[in-house]
Amino acid sequence: MTMTETPMAEQQQQNELNGHKDLNHKSLLQSDALYQYVLETSVYPREHESLKELREMTQNHPRNIMATPPDEGQLIMMLVKLINAKNTMEIGVYTGYSLLSTALALPHDGKKNNMGKYDFVFVDADKNNYLNYHKRVIELVRIGGLIGYDNTLWFGSVAQPPHAPMMDFVKNSRGYVMELNKHLASDERIEICQIPVGDGITLCRRII
Ligand code: CA
């Protein structure tokens, strides 16, 4: 199949539309309808009332794009419980959906602020510094502990050519996210799993 060149303006408009679509449903699933199905069937019926309240409070915030999608929150809660995490840390907090998800999944003797050996660290801060965070976080998490890096598919831009039209904030951090992904794949201290939920979350289990 041959790709035909789309006129610049039209391409840009199409890209903006695609971008907006991505920004709205924040999912890599094939359609909005499928994502709605996931939310309505499996996520909303089990969503904690405090999380629901927080999600509804922030959904009209101009920067709501930064909120953790509820299906991703559900995954985090499951992971935190599976590894019996007690000491957790979150780097980069927006209105706190993922932080609250973690807190709700912790046992009563769990702690959010305790320097030492962390069971679970969720990194969702400035993407340009992801590699720097990794250098430190890997030392903080215990062997067998888990790190989650959020937005590692960066609105799908990681698979787009470098000069493809994309929104500025996407373009500006794309290289850093790709660099992190490469680094994680070659870091022998961890096992990794790229999960295409939300905007992509990479789970890293420290093994040495
Ligand atoms: Ca995020």
Side-chain angles (χ1 to χ4, degrees):
M1 197 175 96
T2 318
M3 296 292 285
T4 48
E5 283 244 299
T6 316
M8 198 60 175
E10 196 183 316
Q11 178 68 57
Q12 204 152 5
Q13 194 180 26
Q14 188 59 44
N15 185 64
E16 272 169 25
L17 284 174
N18 288 342
H20 281 234
K21 185 169 154 277
D22 286 344
L23 293 180
N24 283 338
H25 67 66
K26 274 195 86 175
S27 169
L28 300 160
L29 292 175
Q30 59 179 273
S31 68
D32 283 339
L34 186 54
Y35 185 48
Q36 280 308 313
Y37 175 84
V38 171
L39 292 177
E40 283 162 21
T41 308
S42 308
V43 180
Y44 292 156
R46 292 301 191 102
E47 190 180 34
H48 190 282
E49 59 184 65
S50 307
L51 286 171
K52 181 172 188 284
E53 200 179 321
L54 179 61
R55 178 169 55 78
E56 288 174 349
M57 270 171 60
T58 49
Q59 69 187 357
N60 293 320
H61 189 278
R63 303 188 76 180
N64 185 48
I65 181 65
M66 290 168 69
T68 299
D71 49 328
E72 184 177 350
Q74 192 180 51
L75 170 71
I76 291 169
M77 291 181 79
M78 177 70 83
L79 290 170
V80 166
K81 289 179 181 180
L82 279 174
I83 65 168
N84 296 314
K86 290 187 176 180
N87 297 320
T88 69
M89 175 165 62
E90 177 157 335
I91 302 174
V93 179
Y94 169 53
T95 57
Y97 193 95
S98 50
L99 184 67
L100 183 57
S101 297
T102 306
L104 288 169
L106 287 176
H108 290 303
D109 56 344
K111 297 167 188 162
K112 290 185 293 298
N113 295 305
N114 183 22
M115 289 304 289
K117 309 260 179 181
Y118 286 88
D119 302 306
F120 177 70
V121 180
F122 185 67
V123 185
D124 191 17
D126 51 318
K127 312 309 169 210
N128 298 12
N129 273 308
Y130 261 21
L131 253 189
N132 292 328
Y133 288 121
H134 181 64
K135 284 175 192 157
R136 296 178 182 210
V137 167
I138 190 74
E139 305 283 334
L140 292 173
V141 77
R142 68 170 167 85
I143 291 172
L146 197 64
I147 309 167
Y149 288 99
D150 200 29
N151 301 91
T152 48
L153 294 177
W154 204 229
F155 304 95
S157 69
V158 291
Q160 290 181 321
H163 298 295
M166 54 186 83
M167 293 170 114
D168 279 351
F169 81 96
V170 174
K171 200 179 203 71
N172 293 343
S173 298
R174 174 180 172 277
Y176 293 100
V177 175
M178 292 174 75
E179 195 182 2
L180 174 86
N181 289 340
K182 258 192 185 171
H183 182 87
L184 295 181
S186 67
D187 189 336
E188 292 177 347
R189 298 168 295 179
I190 51 173
E191 291 172 340
I192 63 167
C193 181
Q194 167 77 66
I195 300 183
V197 69
D199 188 33
I201 174 170
T202 302
L203 299 177
C204 310
R205 179 176 169 269
R206 186 176 172 193
I207 49 173
I208 51 172

